[in-house]
Every structure is written in C-alpha cells, then in structure tokens.
Amino acid sequence: MKKLILAVILVATLLLSVCLGACAGTANSSNPQTISANEAHQMIEGLDDFILLDVRSVEEFQEGHVGGALLIPVSELEVRAAEELPNKDTTIFIYCRSGNRSATAAQILADMGYTKVYDIGGMPNWGSI
C-alpha cells in the first residue's frame, strides 16, 4: 500500500512539473511586455544593442519619426522580420501612432519567437519624456 501511494505521489509530481514547465515556456515566448516610454528610455540607457521599430506606414514615417528608428509597417512585418531582424534575442522596442499597431506587431514578433519584445505604444508618448 505504501508503495502504491508513493508511486501515485511520484507520478503526480512529475506531471505537475511537466505542466508547469510547458506553461511557463508558452507564457514567456508569446506574451510581449507593454512598457511606458519612460521605462523604455531607462532601459535603452543600459543597452548596447537594441532596435527601435516603427510599425506605421511609410507616409507616416516620412512625416516624422523617432531618430534611429527602423521602419517596417505592421502589414509587412511577418514577411520582412526574418531578414531585417535576424537576431531573435535582440531587444526590440516597438511604437506606432496610437498604440494599436505596436501591440499587434509586438504579438506577431513574440509569436515568431522573438524573446525581448517591448510595446511602448504611440509615438506621442515618446516625445513626452
């Protein structure tokens, strides 16, 4: 009887460990973080390598953008990401005009396996710092 109880406890523990490991891996890889422009500024100060990604249209980008930003419109992101964002472990800060497209783009990149994706929302937030 004691052996049966120990076997059940052992199996339950193993199943729980597998489930927790799988669930944690899924959450980390598919959920980008939303941060404020102020938090992004603070993070950037400590980074040597990062990408500031503008996901607006070409026309919006030409009207004005954050210096040093890379433009990949959200509608082209899945096609262009592999070539233009080859390192999936590079820190990527994403912005747009109001925050809708940046959230969509952040999720696309996270789903593609990018590991350090930060949605900073709309461009007006960047200039308020």
Side-chain angles (χ1 to χ4, degrees):
M1 185 67 163
K2 286 184 180 180
K3 288 183 181 180
L4 179 61
I5 292 172
L6 288 174
V8 169
I9 292 172
L10 179 60
V11 169
T13 303
L14 288 172
L15 289 174
L16 182 60
S17 296
V18 169
C19 179
L20 290 176
C23 293
T26 301
N28 290 338
S29 65
S30 65
N31 292 321
Q33 292 185 10
T34 301
I35 63 172
S36 69
N38 189 33
E39 290 170 309
H41 276 281
Q42 291 173 359
M43 289 176 69
I44 286 170
E45 288 178 8
L47 293 173
D48 291 329
D49 187 30
F50 66 91
I51 294 171
L52 185 58
L53 182 62
D54 188 323
V55 294
R56 299 174 301 148
S57 70
V58 172
E59 295 79 18
E60 289 172 302
F61 188 82
Q62 290 172 342
E63 289 174 7
H65 58 273
V66 177
L70 169 66
L71 172 66
I72 304 177
V74 70
S75 61
E76 301 172 16
L77 191 56
E78 288 183 87
V79 175
R80 294 175 52 188
E83 184 177 325
E84 296 187 47
L85 307 169
N87 184 350
K88 291 188 176 187
D89 294 322
T90 297
T91 302
I92 302 172
F93 298 99
I94 306 171
Y95 75 91
C96 64
R97 182 179 48 86
S98 66
N100 292 323
R101 288 174 285 182
S102 63
T104 299
Q107 190 62 57
I108 288 169
L109 290 178
D111 290 345
M112 292 176 71
Y114 289 83
T115 60
K116 298 175 186 171
V117 178
Y118 298 94
D119 173 12
I120 58 174
M123 187 177 160
N125 296 329
W126 188 264
S128 65
I129 301 301

